[in-house]
Amino acid sequence: MLDLRLYMAQRLSAMVMAPLVLGHIAVMVYAIQGGLSTAEILGRTQGSIPWLLFYGTFVLAVSVHAAIGLRVIVHETTGLRGRGLRIFTWGTGIVLLMMGARAVAAVTML
Amino acid sequence: MSENTKTLEVSVWRGTQEGGAFETFSVPAQESQTVLDVVSWIQQSADPTLTYRYACRVGMCGSCAMMVNGQPRWTCRTHVSRVLDGNRLEIAPLRNLPVIKDLAADMDPFFDKWIKAGGVHRPSRTRHEPIQEVSPEEPGRVEANKAIECINCSVCYAACDTVAGNEDYLGPAALQRAWTLYNDEKVQDRGAILDAVSGSDGCLNCHTQGSCTRYCPNELDPLSAIAGLKRAVATSFFRRRA
Ligand code: SF4
Ligand code: SF4
Ligand code: FES
């Protein structure tokens, strides 16, 4: 159930995600080791364009990647196809994107 | 001979696409007995209505494949001693294909996909032109040679879990054939091959777990052929856009 477009979207989003995942883990380790408080973290992320771009790109890549991955699993385990499968793929992507965008907005917007 | 006093308990699938059940037969064990020998013994000595298929009996024709103790095998070249579970054998029609009757699976979907994947040779020259010379050392020819011993037995197709989950998936044998043609110097229209294998039923759906390569009785490697197709398709994605 993957044509070339979906396949490339999934591979390219994975390539985008790989360095971002490492960056995210590094940030987590740093924040915990350094004993940063919530207020200190928000103080650095709020109003920061670089953090908005970092996590914004992350959320976009995750939404694309996960929606396509789940599409394959759902098709191969339940046999869902056609319109239903399209709606599922887009629905998953949009829900993930909205949830992620909300979280990114909450930590990076003033 | 003591060998002949032993018997095998053989459960054989009886039925059609509408339904059926396993039927158990006691079959005398022989030395160097193949699974096909067992099936033939049942048909000749116990129940002449048993339906199954074979032709060459030497691993050339690809018509005798069945599920043996849950795994796809070419039955004419599979020794009973290698697959026996205690003294039990369970023999069923090939997985992932409709059943015609008993052990005879309907191979049509397998061959239809072979054609759908572009498996028909489209010559680039007519009979009036001189024959194109192909060097056996040419890298494309070397790659193409790897799969030409495919006997169309459908063992890999039966082993493939992606076919089980996605009935449109072209499957390992058809895609391997496409890779062979893609590397064949005599084939001109490579783009047409990539188009045929890159749709929603094509090579991009392979999970790369390699059951096809593990079970192919001729020790071919559809897994690597499909990996080659994926690379070619992904590269063409950028090239065609550029
Ligand atoms: S490697 Fe691909 S073609 Fe081979 S059995 Fe697995 S999914 Fe099927
Ligand atoms: S690739 Fe191997 S298992 Fe598959 S059809 Fe050809 S010979 Fe049979
Ligand atoms: S009978 Fe021909 S391959 Fe087994």
Side-chain angles (χ1 to χ4, degrees):
Chain A
M1 269 301 132
L2 286 185
D3 59 14
L4 185 51
R5 231 166 23 99
L6 287 170
Y7 177 84
M8 291 311 290
Q10 200 185 26
R11 301 297 131 147
L12 293 173
S13 59
M15 280 163 69
V16 169
M17 254 160 40
L20 296 179
V21 168
L22 294 178
H24 176 66
I25 292 172
V27 169
M28 292 297 104
V29 171
Y30 171 77
I32 288 168
Q33 300 281 319
L36 289 183
S37 70
T38 314
E40 283 169 326
I41 292 174
L42 284 178
R44 293 168 196 214
T45 57
Q46 280 182 335
S48 159
I49 301 282
W51 285 123
L52 175 78
L53 289 178
F54 184 94
Y55 280 109
T57 315
F58 204 155
V59 162
L60 194 68
V62 167
S63 308
V64 171
H65 192 79
I68 299 172
L70 288 173
R71 169 193 170 91
V72 172
I73 295 172
V74 164
H75 171 68
E76 288 183 10
T77 51
T78 71
L80 186 68
R81 47 175 51 223
R83 222 166 96 88
L85 192 61
R86 265 203 305 284
I87 293 172
F88 173 83
T89 311
W90 279 99
T92 310
I94 290 168
V95 166
L96 286 174
L97 188 63
M98 285 189 337
M99 283 166 52
R102 247 186 96 224
V104 173
V107 292
T108 60
M109 305 271 178
L110 283 175
Chain B
M1 245 169 46
S2 65
E3 290 285 339
N4 288 342
T5 59
K6 260 180 46 186
T7 55
L8 309 168
E9 290 296 303
V10 186
S11 307
V12 177
W13 176 260
R14 307 300 305 271
T16 62
Q17 195 59 17
E18 275 69 58
F22 281 98
E23 187 180 345
T24 304
F25 298 91
S26 292
V27 179
Q30 307 268 338
E31 216 175 323
S32 299
Q33 194 175 21
T34 66
V35 174
L36 184 61
D37 291 335
V38 168
V39 175
S40 299
W41 186 92
I42 295 172
Q43 197 259 343
Q44 282 161 16
S45 308
D47 185 349
T49 68
L50 177 67
T51 303
Y52 65 112
R53 192 194 290 121
Y54 76 93
C56 72
R57 303 215 290 176
V58 290
M60 298 290 287
C61 70
S63 63
C64 66
M66 300 168 199
M67 301 301 287
V68 180
N69 284 347
Q71 301 186 335
R73 304 267 184 198
W74 55 354
T75 56
C76 70
R77 297 279 303 271
T78 302
H79 279 262
V80 168
S81 58
R82 292 197 44 210
V83 290
L84 210 53
D85 174 12
N87 71 335
R88 283 183 32 81
L89 272 185
E90 186 191 274
I91 306 175
L94 269 186
R95 180 179 177 238
N96 291 341
L97 289 165
V99 180
I100 298 173
K101 181 175 170 282
D102 300 342
L103 299 173
D106 180 355
M107 303 284 280
D108 279 356
F110 176 77
F111 289 114
D112 289 346
K113 288 176 179 178
W114 186 272
I115 293 167
K116 209 168 166 219
V120 179
H121 178 61
R122 289 193 190 77
S124 49
R125 295 191 186 186
T126 67
R127 66 178 66 220
H128 307 296
E129 288 165 272
I131 292 175
Q132 180 179 351
E133 272 185 37
V134 178
S135 152
E137 278 90 44
E138 193 265 330
R141 188 61 244 167
V142 171
E143 189 61 31
N145 277 348
K146 289 180 185 168
I148 55 175
E149 297 293 340
C150 174
I151 57 170
N152 296 2
C153 64
S154 201
V155 162
C156 55
Y157 188 83
C160 178
D161 285 342
T162 303
V163 174
N166 174 359
E167 60 174 345
D168 295 330
Y169 178 50
L170 295 170
L175 290 169
Q176 176 176 249
R177 169 68 179 169
W179 177 240
T180 301
L181 292 181
Y182 181 79
N183 286 295
D184 187 339
E185 263 189 84
K186 291 190 176 181
V187 175
Q188 294 287 300
D189 195 356
R190 309 254 154 119
I193 295 176
L194 295 185
D195 286 343
V197 300
S198 58
S200 61
D201 52 5
C203 65
L204 303 172
N205 293 279
C206 166
H207 288 319
T208 322
Q209 279 169 328
S211 307
C212 47
T213 296
R214 160 117 164 55
Y215 283 99
C216 173
N218 268 341
E219 296 179 356
L220 305 184
D221 187 5
L223 168 65
S224 300
I226 295 169
L229 277 181
K230 282 183 175 178
R231 275 196 303 277
V233 165
T235 317
S236 79
F237 178 79
F238 294 112
R239 207 179 297 136
R240 288 187 196 190
R241 252 144 224 263

